[in-house]
């Protein structure tokens, strides 16, 4: 069937709008992306608190730090005990030969670095300041600062920096 011009052009867009066929070579992906970014910034802006949390998390990033992997989490692996409430969360992290055992409660945290060695520990939390946690000669540490929201531990021992995975309290 012929279109209004009598040319037989039935390519969809061109036939309805009077323009030629769609040419992908003329389409500017960068311009479309920029327009979508501007629309998103106006219609669905990034919350200020979330932006600050992302900036703070990046600032705390240590390029030379090793990541201590989570090996045990009582929320996932422990058997529940009937009749108990407010059970502390037990975590075990490992980085090479170093192990960090942590007990997290609503009142704070305590734990031990194994094998015992001189160390400094810092409790990292989202928008909060870094909280130093003293470590004794046996590798034991205690903090009265509750881990609220996302948290991680940064361990400095000798010339090495080790950071645990980020978890929610």
């Amino acid at each position: 069937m012929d279109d209004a011009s009598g040319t037989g052009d039935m390519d969809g867009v061109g036939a309805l709008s009077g323009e030629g066929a769609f040419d992908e070579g003329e389409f500017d992906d960068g311009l479309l992306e920029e327009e979508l970014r501007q629309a998103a910034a106006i219609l669905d802006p990034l919350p200020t608190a979330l932006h600050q949390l992302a900036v703070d998390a990046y600032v705390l990033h240590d390029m030379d730090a090793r990541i201590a992997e989570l090996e045990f989490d009582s929320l996932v692996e422990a058997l529940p005990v009937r009749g108990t409430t407010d059970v502390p969360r037990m975590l075990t992290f490992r980085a090479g030969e170093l192990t960090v055992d942590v007990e997290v409660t609503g009142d704070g945290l305590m734990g031990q670095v194994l094998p015992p060695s001189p160390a400094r520990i810092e409790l990292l939390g989202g928008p909060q300041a870094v909280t130093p946690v003293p470590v004794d000669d046996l590798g034991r540490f205690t903090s009265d600062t509750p881990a609220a929201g996302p948290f991680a531990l940064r361990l400095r021992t000798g010339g090495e920096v080790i950071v645990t995975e980020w978890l929610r309290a």
Side-chain angles (χ1 to χ4, degrees):
M1 174 181 264
D2 289 343
D3 65 354
S5 65
T7 63
D9 181 17
M10 295 298 293
D11 64 359
V13 174
L16 296 175
S17 67
E19 298 177 8
F22 178 73
D23 182 11
E24 288 188 37
E26 295 178 17
F27 188 73
D28 185 1
D29 290 339
L31 180 61
L32 175 62
E33 182 179 347
E34 182 57 31
E35 288 177 0
L36 289 172
R37 283 183 196 278
Q38 290 175 4
I42 293 168
L43 300 173
D44 188 21
L46 181 65
T48 305
L50 181 61
H51 179 264
Q52 187 60 47
L53 185 65
V55 169
D56 290 344
Y58 182 76
V59 168
L60 297 174
H61 176 72
D62 288 314
M63 293 299 290
D64 297 332
R66 288 191 322 167
I67 301 296
E69 295 182 20
L70 181 64
E71 287 199 336
F72 176 80
D73 185 347
S74 62
L75 285 181
V76 178
E77 300 179 40
L79 296 173
V81 177
R82 187 174 62 185
T84 60
T85 59
D86 198 27
V87 177
R89 183 176 184 184
M90 306 300 290
L91 304 166
T92 300
F93 299 95
R94 181 178 297 279
E97 299 297 317
L98 186 79
T99 302
V100 181
D101 291 319
V102 183
E103 179 179 314
V104 181
T105 67
D107 298 327
L109 57 90
M110 66 178 170
Q112 186 171 18
V113 177
L114 297 169
S117 61
R120 289 189 334 245
I121 292 182
E122 298 164 329
L123 174 62
L124 309 176
Q128 301 170 351
V130 174
T131 305
V133 180
V135 180
D136 69 12
D137 294 339
L138 297 175
R140 298 176 299 195
F141 57 91
T142 304
S143 172
D144 293 336
T145 304
F151 75 96
L153 298 175
R154 182 186 301 145
L155 174 70
R156 299 179 190 274
T157 175
E160 189 172 34
V161 178
I162 298 170
V163 178
T164 65
E165 296 180 31
W166 284 83
L167 298 169
R168 283 214 166 270

